[in-house]
Amino acid sequence: MSTTDSPSTVIEHVVLFKVKDNTDPSKVNAIFTGFNGLISLDQVLHLTTGPLVRIRSPLSNFTHMFHSRYYSKEDLSAYSTHPSHLALVGETFSICDDIMVVDWVAADFQGLVVPPAGSAMRVTFLKLKEKVSEEGKNEVLRVIKGIKESIGDMDQITCGESEGVFDCFAGSFPWIEGNGGRRFQGGADAFAQRKGWGLFGGRDCG
Protein backbone atom coordinates (compact mmCIF):
# COMPACT_ATOMS: atom_id res chain seq x y z
CA MET A 1 0.00 0.00 0.00
CA SER A 2 1.30 3.46 -0.84
CA THR A 3 2.21 5.84 1.99
CA THR A 4 0.03 8.42 0.26
CA ASP A 5 -3.14 6.32 0.56
CA SER A 6 -5.49 7.39 3.34
CA PRO A 7 -8.33 5.01 4.18
CA SER A 8 -11.26 6.41 6.15
CA THR A 9 -10.73 3.90 8.96
CA VAL A 10 -7.74 1.91 10.20
CA ILE A 11 -7.24 -0.55 13.04
CA GLU A 12 -4.47 0.49 15.41
CA HIS A 13 -2.59 -2.36 17.14
CA VAL A 14 -0.14 -1.53 19.93
CA VAL A 15 1.83 -4.03 22.02
CA LEU A 16 4.00 -3.06 25.00
CA PHE A 17 6.74 -5.41 26.22
CA LYS A 18 8.70 -5.60 29.47
CA VAL A 19 11.87 -7.45 28.52
CA LYS A 20 13.39 -9.45 31.38
CA ASP A 21 16.47 -7.99 33.02
CA ASN A 22 19.76 -9.47 31.87
CA THR A 23 18.28 -10.82 28.64
CA ASP A 24 20.96 -11.21 25.97
CA PRO A 25 20.67 -8.05 23.81
CA SER A 26 21.38 -10.05 20.66
CA LYS A 27 18.34 -12.23 21.34
CA VAL A 28 16.15 -9.16 21.93
CA ASN A 29 17.38 -7.56 18.70
CA ALA A 30 16.80 -10.76 16.75
CA ILE A 31 13.19 -11.06 17.92
CA PHE A 32 12.27 -7.45 17.22
CA THR A 33 14.05 -7.56 13.87
CA GLY A 34 11.82 -10.54 13.14
CA PHE A 35 8.73 -8.52 14.04
CA ASN A 36 9.83 -5.73 11.71
CA GLY A 37 10.06 -8.31 8.96
CA LEU A 38 6.32 -9.00 9.27
CA ILE A 39 5.70 -5.82 7.26
CA SER A 40 5.91 -8.14 4.25
CA LEU A 41 2.59 -9.79 5.17
CA ASP A 42 -0.27 -8.72 2.90
CA GLN A 43 -2.56 -7.66 5.76
CA VAL A 44 -0.10 -5.19 7.30
CA LEU A 45 -0.33 -1.54 6.25
CA HIS A 46 2.33 -0.20 8.62
CA LEU A 47 4.55 -1.79 11.25
CA THR A 48 7.33 -0.57 13.49
CA THR A 49 8.98 -1.79 16.69
CA GLY A 50 11.69 -0.55 19.00
CA PRO A 51 12.73 0.40 22.53
CA LEU A 52 10.78 3.09 24.36
CA VAL A 53 12.44 6.48 24.68
CA ARG A 54 10.62 7.25 27.92
CA ILE A 55 7.57 6.24 29.91
CA ARG A 56 5.67 8.61 32.19
CA SER A 57 3.39 6.25 34.07
CA PRO A 58 4.67 5.08 37.48
CA LEU A 59 2.45 2.01 37.03
CA SER A 60 4.41 0.69 34.08
CA ASN A 61 7.94 -0.47 33.40
CA PHE A 62 7.66 -1.51 29.76
CA THR A 63 10.81 -1.38 27.68
CA HIS A 64 9.71 -1.87 24.03
CA MET A 65 6.72 -1.13 21.82
CA PHE A 66 5.21 -2.57 18.66
CA HIS A 67 2.79 -0.55 16.51
CA SER A 68 0.99 -1.68 13.37
CA ARG A 69 -2.03 -0.71 11.26
CA TYR A 70 -4.64 -2.66 9.30
CA TYR A 71 -7.59 -2.00 7.03
CA SER A 72 -9.98 -4.10 9.12
CA LYS A 73 -10.39 -6.30 12.18
CA GLU A 74 -10.36 -9.28 9.83
CA ASP A 75 -6.92 -8.28 8.55
CA LEU A 76 -5.65 -7.92 12.12
CA SER A 77 -7.05 -11.35 12.95
CA ALA A 78 -5.39 -12.90 9.89
CA TYR A 79 -2.08 -11.29 10.87
CA SER A 80 -2.42 -12.50 14.47
CA THR A 81 -2.90 -16.12 13.40
CA HIS A 82 -0.23 -16.13 10.69
CA PRO A 83 2.42 -18.80 11.38
CA SER A 84 5.28 -16.29 11.08
CA HIS A 85 3.68 -14.09 13.74
CA LEU A 86 2.87 -17.00 16.05
CA ALA A 87 6.46 -18.24 15.91
CA LEU A 88 7.74 -14.84 17.08
CA VAL A 89 5.10 -14.62 19.80
CA GLY A 90 6.37 -17.89 21.24
CA GLU A 91 9.91 -16.55 21.35
CA THR A 92 8.75 -13.27 22.88
CA PHE A 93 7.13 -14.95 25.88
CA SER A 94 10.50 -16.46 26.75
CA ILE A 95 12.19 -13.05 27.15
CA CYS A 96 9.35 -10.93 28.60
CA ASP A 97 8.00 -10.45 32.12
CA ASP A 98 4.90 -8.58 30.91
CA ILE A 99 3.04 -7.89 27.67
CA MET A 100 0.10 -5.51 27.14
CA VAL A 101 -1.98 -5.39 23.95
CA VAL A 102 -4.35 -2.56 23.01
CA ASP A 103 -6.34 -2.31 19.76
CA TRP A 104 -8.72 0.42 18.67
CA VAL A 105 -10.64 1.56 15.61
CA ALA A 106 -9.35 4.89 14.31
CA ALA A 107 -12.41 6.30 12.60
CA ASP A 108 -12.24 9.38 10.36
CA PHE A 109 -8.58 8.59 9.75
CA GLN A 110 -6.58 11.40 8.19
CA GLY A 111 -3.03 11.62 6.92
CA LEU A 112 -0.42 9.07 5.96
CA VAL A 113 -0.83 5.43 6.92
CA VAL A 114 2.97 5.18 7.14
CA PRO A 115 4.48 8.08 9.15
CA PRO A 116 7.44 9.88 7.57
CA ALA A 117 10.92 8.52 8.25
CA GLY A 118 12.37 10.00 11.43
CA SER A 119 9.00 10.51 13.12
CA ALA A 120 8.51 9.88 16.81
CA MET A 121 5.36 8.40 18.31
CA ARG A 122 3.61 9.17 21.57
CA VAL A 123 0.97 6.78 22.91
CA THR A 124 -1.28 7.50 25.89
CA PHE A 125 -3.72 5.04 27.44
CA LEU A 126 -6.41 6.52 29.66
CA LYS A 127 -8.95 4.72 31.80
CA LEU A 128 -11.98 6.76 32.81
CA LYS A 129 -13.96 6.25 35.97
CA GLU A 130 -16.97 3.97 35.61
CA LYS A 131 -19.43 6.81 36.20
CA VAL A 132 -18.51 8.51 32.93
CA SER A 133 -21.44 8.22 30.51
CA GLU A 134 -21.25 7.22 26.86
CA GLU A 135 -21.87 10.85 25.98
CA GLY A 136 -18.93 11.81 28.16
CA LYS A 137 -16.70 9.21 26.52
CA ASN A 138 -17.63 10.51 23.08
CA GLU A 139 -16.82 14.03 24.22
CA VAL A 140 -13.35 12.91 25.34
CA LEU A 141 -12.71 11.49 21.88
CA ARG A 142 -13.93 14.65 20.19
CA VAL A 143 -11.68 16.81 22.33
CA ILE A 144 -8.61 14.63 21.80
CA LYS A 145 -9.14 14.70 18.03
CA GLY A 146 -9.41 18.49 18.19
CA ILE A 147 -6.14 18.96 20.06
CA LYS A 148 -4.18 18.54 16.84
CA GLU A 149 -5.59 21.80 15.49
CA SER A 150 -3.93 23.74 18.30
CA ILE A 151 -0.54 22.05 18.05
CA GLY A 152 1.37 23.07 14.97
CA ASP A 153 4.13 20.44 15.12
CA MET A 154 1.81 17.44 15.46
CA ASP A 155 1.57 15.44 12.25
CA GLN A 156 -1.25 13.08 13.15
CA ILE A 157 -3.44 11.85 15.97
CA THR A 158 -5.83 8.92 16.26
CA CYS A 159 -7.92 7.81 19.19
CA GLY A 160 -10.65 5.36 20.09
CA GLU A 161 -11.97 3.01 22.73
CA SER A 162 -10.14 -0.24 23.22
CA GLU A 163 -12.16 -3.43 22.86
CA GLY A 164 -9.64 -5.55 24.76
CA VAL A 165 -9.28 -6.45 28.42
CA PHE A 166 -8.22 -2.92 29.26
CA ASP A 167 -11.13 -0.47 29.12
CA CYS A 168 -8.85 2.25 27.81
CA PHE A 169 -8.78 5.17 25.49
CA ALA A 170 -5.67 5.34 23.37
CA GLY A 171 -4.29 8.21 21.35
CA SER A 172 -1.18 8.16 19.24
CA PHE A 173 0.62 10.62 17.02
CA PRO A 174 4.00 10.99 15.38
CA TRP A 175 5.83 14.29 15.24
CA ILE A 176 9.18 15.26 13.78
CA GLU A 177 10.54 17.68 16.37
CA GLY A 178 9.37 20.00 19.11
CA ASN A 179 7.34 19.57 22.28
CA GLY A 180 3.98 18.68 20.77
CA GLY A 181 3.76 15.56 22.94
CA ARG A 182 3.99 17.58 26.14
CA ARG A 183 1.39 20.08 24.93
CA PHE A 184 -0.92 17.23 23.92
CA GLN A 185 -0.68 15.58 27.33
CA GLY A 186 -1.23 18.87 29.13
CA GLY A 187 -4.36 19.55 27.08
CA ALA A 188 -5.83 16.11 27.72
CA ASP A 189 -5.11 16.24 31.45
CA ALA A 190 -6.54 19.74 31.83
CA PHE A 191 -9.76 18.76 30.05
CA ALA A 192 -10.27 15.73 32.29
CA GLN A 193 -9.67 17.78 35.42
CA ARG A 194 -12.16 20.44 34.35
CA LYS A 195 -14.78 17.73 33.88
CA GLY A 196 -13.93 16.21 37.26
CA TRP A 197 -13.54 12.77 35.72
CA GLY A 198 -10.18 11.88 37.22
CA LEU A 199 -8.16 9.62 34.97
CA PHE A 200 -6.58 6.57 36.52
CA GLY A 201 -4.52 3.70 35.22
CA GLY A 202 -3.05 5.97 32.57
CA ARG A 203 -0.02 4.77 30.64
CA ASP A 204 2.01 7.27 28.63
CA CYS A 205 4.79 6.05 26.39
CA GLY A 206 7.00 7.81 23.92
PDB file of all heavy atoms in Angstrom, residues 60-80:
ATOM      1  N   SER A  60       3.906   1.523  35.168  1.00  0.00           N
ATOM      2  CA  SER A  60       4.406   0.694  34.081  1.00  0.00           C
ATOM      3  C   SER A  60       5.926   0.704  34.030  1.00  0.00           C
ATOM      4  O   SER A  60       6.569   1.691  34.372  1.00  0.00           O
ATOM      5  CB  SER A  60       3.860   1.185  32.733  1.00  0.00           C
ATOM      6  OG  SER A  60       2.452   1.217  32.750  1.00  0.00           O
ATOM      7  N   ASN A  61       6.498  -0.406  33.599  1.00  0.00           N
ATOM      8  CA  ASN A  61       7.943  -0.470  33.405  1.00  0.00           C
ATOM      9  C   ASN A  61       8.265  -1.173  32.089  1.00  0.00           C
ATOM     10  O   ASN A  61       9.234  -1.929  31.985  1.00  0.00           O
ATOM     11  CB  ASN A  61       8.622  -1.181  34.570  1.00  0.00           C
ATOM     12  CG  ASN A  61       8.059  -2.579  34.802  1.00  0.00           C
ATOM     13  OD1 ASN A  61       7.107  -2.997  34.146  1.00  0.00           O
ATOM     14  ND2 ASN A  61       8.649  -3.295  35.743  1.00  0.00           N
ATOM     15  N   PHE A  62       7.437  -0.906  31.064  1.00  0.00           N
ATOM     16  CA  PHE A  62       7.656  -1.512  29.758  1.00  0.00           C
ATOM     17  C   PHE A  62       8.936  -0.959  29.127  1.00  0.00           C
ATOM     18  O   PHE A  62       9.354   0.165  29.410  1.00  0.00           O
ATOM     19  CB  PHE A  62       6.458  -1.257  28.844  1.00  0.00           C
ATOM     20  CG  PHE A  62       5.210  -1.951  29.298  1.00  0.00           C
ATOM     21  CD1 PHE A  62       4.171  -1.239  29.878  1.00  0.00           C
ATOM     22  CD2 PHE A  62       5.083  -3.330  29.164  1.00  0.00           C
ATOM     23  CE1 PHE A  62       3.020  -1.883  30.301  1.00  0.00           C
ATOM     24  CE2 PHE A  62       3.937  -3.980  29.584  1.00  0.00           C
ATOM     25  CZ  PHE A  62       2.901  -3.259  30.157  1.00  0.00           C
ATOM     26  N   THR A  63       9.534  -1.756  28.277  1.00  0.00           N
ATOM     27  CA  THR A  63      10.810  -1.383  27.676  1.00  0.00           C
ATOM     28  C   THR A  63      10.745  -1.217  26.159  1.00  0.00           C
ATOM     29  O   THR A  63      11.563  -0.494  25.583  1.00  0.00           O
ATOM     30  CB  THR A  63      11.875  -2.452  27.990  1.00  0.00           C
ATOM     31  OG1 THR A  63      11.422  -3.724  27.477  1.00  0.00           O
ATOM     32  CG2 THR A  63      12.110  -2.551  29.489  1.00  0.00           C
ATOM     33  N   HIS A  64       9.787  -1.884  25.490  1.00  0.00           N
ATOM     34  CA  HIS A  64       9.710  -1.868  24.032  1.00  0.00           C
ATOM     35  C   HIS A  64       8.253  -1.736  23.584  1.00  0.00           C
ATOM     36  O   HIS A  64       7.327  -2.074  24.347  1.00  0.00           O
ATOM     37  CB  HIS A  64      10.299  -3.155  23.430  1.00  0.00           C
ATOM     38  CG  HIS A  64      11.774  -3.285  23.626  1.00  0.00           C
ATOM     39  ND1 HIS A  64      12.334  -3.548  24.862  1.00  0.00           N
ATOM     40  CD2 HIS A  64      12.817  -3.205  22.739  1.00  0.00           C
ATOM     41  CE1 HIS A  64      13.655  -3.612  24.739  1.00  0.00           C
ATOM     42  NE2 HIS A  64      13.969  -3.415  23.465  1.00  0.00           N
ATOM     43  N   MET A  65       8.070  -1.278  22.356  1.00  0.00           N
ATOM     44  CA  MET A  65       6.725  -1.126  21.821  1.00  0.00           C
ATOM     45  C   MET A  65       6.661  -1.601  20.376  1.00  0.00           C
ATOM     46  O   MET A  65       7.635  -1.478  19.623  1.00  0.00           O
ATOM     47  CB  MET A  65       6.260   0.329  21.897  1.00  0.00           C
ATOM     48  CG  MET A  65       4.780   0.513  21.550  1.00  0.00           C
ATOM     49  SD  MET A  65       4.216   2.215  21.782  1.00  0.00           S
ATOM     50  CE  MET A  65       4.777   2.957  20.250  1.00  0.00           C
ATOM     51  N   PHE A  66       5.511  -2.131  20.024  1.00  0.00           N
ATOM     52  CA  PHE A  66       5.212  -2.572  18.663  1.00  0.00           C
ATOM     53  C   PHE A  66       3.956  -1.830  18.226  1.00  0.00           C
ATOM     54  O   PHE A  66       2.977  -1.773  18.978  1.00  0.00           O
ATOM     55  CB  PHE A  66       4.969  -4.089  18.686  1.00  0.00           C
ATOM     56  CG  PHE A  66       4.443  -4.684  17.409  1.00  0.00           C
ATOM     57  CD1 PHE A  66       5.286  -5.386  16.561  1.00  0.00           C
ATOM     58  CD2 PHE A  66       3.102  -4.576  17.054  1.00  0.00           C
ATOM     59  CE1 PHE A  66       4.800  -5.960  15.388  1.00  0.00           C
ATOM     60  CE2 PHE A  66       2.605  -5.139  15.897  1.00  0.00           C
ATOM     61  CZ  PHE A  66       3.462  -5.828  15.058  1.00  0.00           C
ATOM     62  N   HIS A  67       3.967  -1.251  17.029  1.00  0.00           N
ATOM     63  CA  HIS A  67       2.791  -0.547  16.512  1.00  0.00           C
ATOM     64  C   HIS A  67       2.562  -0.963  15.073  1.00  0.00           C
ATOM     65  O   HIS A  67       3.483  -0.973  14.261  1.00  0.00           O
ATOM     66  CB  HIS A  67       2.996   0.969  16.573  1.00  0.00           C
ATOM     67  CG  HIS A  67       1.902   1.744  15.889  1.00  0.00           C
ATOM     68  ND1 HIS A  67       2.152   2.671  14.898  1.00  0.00           N
ATOM     69  CD2 HIS A  67       0.554   1.724  16.037  1.00  0.00           C
ATOM     70  CE1 HIS A  67       1.013   3.199  14.483  1.00  0.00           C
ATOM     71  NE2 HIS A  67       0.024   2.627  15.141  1.00  0.00           N
ATOM     72  N   SER A  68       1.319  -1.331  14.754  1.00  0.00           N
ATOM     73  CA  SER A  68       0.992  -1.680  13.371  1.00  0.00           C
ATOM     74  C   SER A  68      -0.424  -1.223  13.053  1.00  0.00           C
ATOM     75  O   SER A  68      -1.225  -0.930  13.941  1.00  0.00           O
ATOM     76  CB  SER A  68       1.141  -3.189  13.131  1.00  0.00           C
ATOM     77  OG  SER A  68       0.357  -3.934  14.045  1.00  0.00           O
ATOM     78  N   ARG A  69      -0.728  -1.185  11.742  1.00  0.00           N
ATOM     79  CA  ARG A  69      -2.033  -0.715  11.262  1.00  0.00           C
ATOM     80  C   ARG A  69      -2.593  -1.682  10.222  1.00  0.00           C
ATOM     81  O   ARG A  69      -1.836  -2.276   9.445  1.00  0.00           O
ATOM     82  CB  ARG A  69      -1.896   0.686  10.650  1.00  0.00           C
ATOM     83  CG  ARG A  69      -1.713   1.777  11.676  1.00  0.00           C
ATOM     84  CD  ARG A  69      -1.429   3.133  11.049  1.00  0.00           C
ATOM     85  NE  ARG A  69      -1.571   4.189  12.048  1.00  0.00           N
ATOM     86  CZ  ARG A  69      -1.190   5.439  11.864  1.00  0.00           C
ATOM     87  NH1 ARG A  69      -0.641   5.812  10.710  1.00  0.00           N
ATOM     88  NH2 ARG A  69      -1.357   6.330  12.815  1.00  0.00           N
ATOM     89  N   TYR A  70      -3.945  -1.736  10.184  1.00  0.00           N
ATOM     90  CA  TYR A  70      -4.640  -2.663   9.299  1.00  0.00           C
ATOM     91  C   TYR A  70      -5.899  -2.003   8.758  1.00  0.00           C
ATOM     92  O   TYR A  70      -6.468  -1.108   9.389  1.00  0.00           O
ATOM     93  CB  TYR A  70      -5.008  -3.955  10.053  1.00  0.00           C
ATOM     94  CG  TYR A  70      -3.822  -4.561  10.754  1.00  0.00           C
ATOM     95  CD1 TYR A  70      -3.432  -4.110  12.018  1.00  0.00           C
ATOM     96  CD2 TYR A  70      -3.060  -5.543  10.136  1.00  0.00           C
ATOM     97  CE1 TYR A  70      -2.300  -4.616  12.642  1.00  0.00           C
ATOM     98  CE2 TYR A  70      -1.931  -6.064  10.761  1.00  0.00           C
ATOM     99  CZ  TYR A  70      -1.559  -5.598  12.008  1.00  0.00           C
ATOM    100  OH  TYR A  70      -0.441  -6.089  12.621  1.00  0.00           O
ATOM    101  N   TYR A  71      -6.344  -2.490   7.596  1.00  0.00           N
ATOM    102  CA  TYR A  71      -7.593  -1.995   7.026  1.00  0.00           C
ATOM    103  C   TYR A  71      -8.797  -2.360   7.881  1.00  0.00           C
ATOM    104  O   TYR A  71      -9.761  -1.611   7.981  1.00  0.00           O
ATOM    105  CB  TYR A  71      -7.806  -2.622   5.640  1.00  0.00           C
ATOM    106  CG  TYR A  71      -7.300  -1.800   4.481  1.00  0.00           C
ATOM    107  CD1 TYR A  71      -6.563  -2.418   3.467  1.00  0.00           C
ATOM    108  CD2 TYR A  71      -7.562  -0.439   4.372  1.00  0.00           C
ATOM    109  CE1 TYR A  71      -6.101  -1.691   2.381  1.00  0.00           C
ATOM    110  CE2 TYR A  71      -7.106   0.286   3.298  1.00  0.00           C
ATOM    111  CZ  TYR A  71      -6.375  -0.338   2.301  1.00  0.00           C
ATOM    112  OH  TYR A  71      -5.915   0.378   1.233  1.00  0.00           O
ATOM    113  N   SER A  72      -8.777  -3.573   8.466  1.00  0.00           N
ATOM    114  CA  SER A  72      -9.977  -4.099   9.117  1.00  0.00           C
ATOM    115  C   SER A  72      -9.603  -5.027  10.266  1.00  0.00           C
ATOM    116  O   SER A  72      -8.453  -5.474  10.382  1.00  0.00           O
ATOM    117  CB  SER A  72     -10.818  -4.877   8.101  1.00  0.00           C
ATOM    118  OG  SER A  72     -10.111  -6.037   7.657  1.00  0.00           O
ATOM    119  N   LYS A  73     -10.593  -5.342  11.094  1.00  0.00           N
ATOM    120  CA  LYS A  73     -10.390  -6.303  12.175  1.00  0.00           C
ATOM    121  C   LYS A  73     -10.062  -7.674  11.613  1.00  0.00           C
ATOM    122  O   LYS A  73      -9.304  -8.440  12.214  1.00  0.00           O
ATOM    123  CB  LYS A  73     -11.641  -6.370  13.055  1.00  0.00           C
ATOM    124  CG  LYS A  73     -11.947  -5.074  13.795  1.00  0.00           C
ATOM    125  CD  LYS A  73     -13.229  -5.201  14.613  1.00  0.00           C
ATOM    126  CE  LYS A  73     -13.582  -3.886  15.287  1.00  0.00           C
ATOM    127  NZ  LYS A  73     -14.855  -3.984  16.062  1.00  0.00           N
ATOM    128  N   GLU A  74     -10.642  -7.980  10.461  1.00  0.00           N
ATOM    129  CA  GLU A  74     -10.363  -9.276   9.832  1.00  0.00           C
ATOM    130  C   GLU A  74      -8.891  -9.379   9.428  1.00  0.00           C
ATOM    131  O   GLU A  74      -8.265 -10.438   9.580  1.00  0.00           O
ATOM    132  CB  GLU A  74     -11.265  -9.473   8.617  1.00  0.00           C
ATOM    133  CG  GLU A  74     -12.739  -9.677   8.943  1.00  0.00           C
ATOM    134  CD  GLU A  74     -13.455  -8.377   9.335  1.00  0.00           C
ATOM    135  OE1 GLU A  74     -12.906  -7.276   9.050  1.00  0.00           O
ATOM    136  OE2 GLU A  74     -14.541  -8.470   9.930  1.00  0.00           O
ATOM    137  N   ASP A  75      -8.330  -8.278   8.918  1.00  0.00           N
ATOM    138  CA  ASP A  75      -6.920  -8.280   8.546  1.00  0.00           C
ATOM    139  C   ASP A  75      -6.035  -8.442   9.781  1.00  0.00           C
ATOM    140  O   ASP A  75      -5.022  -9.162   9.753  1.00  0.00           O
ATOM    141  CB  ASP A  75      -6.555  -6.985   7.821  1.00  0.00           C
ATOM    142  CG  ASP A  75      -7.018  -6.987   6.373  1.00  0.00           C
ATOM    143  OD1 ASP A  75      -7.456  -8.041   5.881  1.00  0.00           O
ATOM    144  OD2 ASP A  75      -6.951  -5.917   5.733  1.00  0.00           O
ATOM    145  N   LEU A  76      -6.406  -7.766  10.872  1.00  0.00           N
ATOM    146  CA  LEU A  76      -5.650  -7.916  12.117  1.00  0.00           C
ATOM    147  C   LEU A  76      -5.716  -9.359  12.612  1.00  0.00           C
ATOM    148  O   LEU A  76      -4.712  -9.928  13.054  1.00  0.00           O
ATOM    149  CB  LEU A  76      -6.183  -6.961  13.181  1.00  0.00           C
ATOM    150  CG  LEU A  76      -5.601  -7.121  14.596  1.00  0.00           C
ATOM    151  CD1 LEU A  76      -4.078  -6.996  14.592  1.00  0.00           C
ATOM    152  CD2 LEU A  76      -6.227  -6.096  15.539  1.00  0.00           C
ATOM    153  N   SER A  77      -6.888  -9.963  12.525  1.00  0.00           N
ATOM    154  CA  SER A  77      -7.048 -11.345  12.954  1.00  0.00           C
ATOM    155  C   SER A  77      -6.197 -12.292  12.102  1.00  0.00           C
ATOM    156  O   SER A  77      -5.543 -13.209  12.622  1.00  0.00           O
ATOM    157  CB  SER A  77      -8.521 -11.752  12.876  1.00  0.00           C
ATOM    158  OG  SER A  77      -8.700 -13.105  13.249  1.00  0.00           O
ATOM    159  N   ALA A  78      -6.191 -12.055  10.787  1.00  0.00           N
ATOM    160  CA  ALA A  78      -5.392 -12.896   9.890  1.00  0.00           C
ATOM    161  C   ALA A  78      -3.907 -12.752  10.191  1.00  0.00           C
ATOM    162  O   ALA A  78      -3.145 -13.739  10.170  1.00  0.00           O
ATOM    163  CB  ALA A  78      -5.681 -12.529   8.439  1.00  0.00           C
ATOM    164  N   TYR A  79      -3.473 -11.526  10.486  1.00  0.00           N
ATOM    165  CA  TYR A  79      -2.080 -11.293  10.873  1.00  0.00           C
ATOM    166  C   TYR A  79      -1.759 -12.026  12.171  1.00  0.00           C
ATOM    167  O   TYR A  79      -0.711 -12.689  12.291  1.00  0.00           O
ATOM    168  CB  TYR A  79      -1.828  -9.795  11.034  1.00  0.00           C
ATOM    169  CG  TYR A  79      -0.633  -9.479  11.899  1.00  0.00           C
ATOM    170  CD1 TYR A  79       0.655  -9.528  11.375  1.00  0.00           C
ATOM    171  CD2 TYR A  79      -0.807  -9.160  13.240  1.00  0.00           C
ATOM    172  CE1 TYR A  79       1.756  -9.263  12.178  1.00  0.00           C
ATOM    173  CE2 TYR A  79       0.287  -8.893  14.054  1.00  0.00           C
ATOM    174  CZ  TYR A  79       1.560  -8.953  13.521  1.00  0.00           C
ATOM    175  OH  TYR A  79       2.649  -8.698  14.314  1.00  0.00           O
ATOM    176  N   SER A  80      -2.665 -11.923  13.150  1.00  0.00           N
ATOM    177  CA  SER A  80      -2.423 -12.495  14.475  1.00  0.00           C
ATOM    178  C   SER A  80      -2.267 -14.011  14.430  1.00  0.00           C
ATOM    179  O   SER A  80      -1.549 -14.596  15.250  1.00  0.00           O
ATOM    180  CB  SER A  80      -3.561 -12.117  15.425  1.00  0.00           C
ATOM    181  OG  SER A  80      -3.634 -10.714  15.588  1.00  0.00           O
TER     182      SER A  80
END
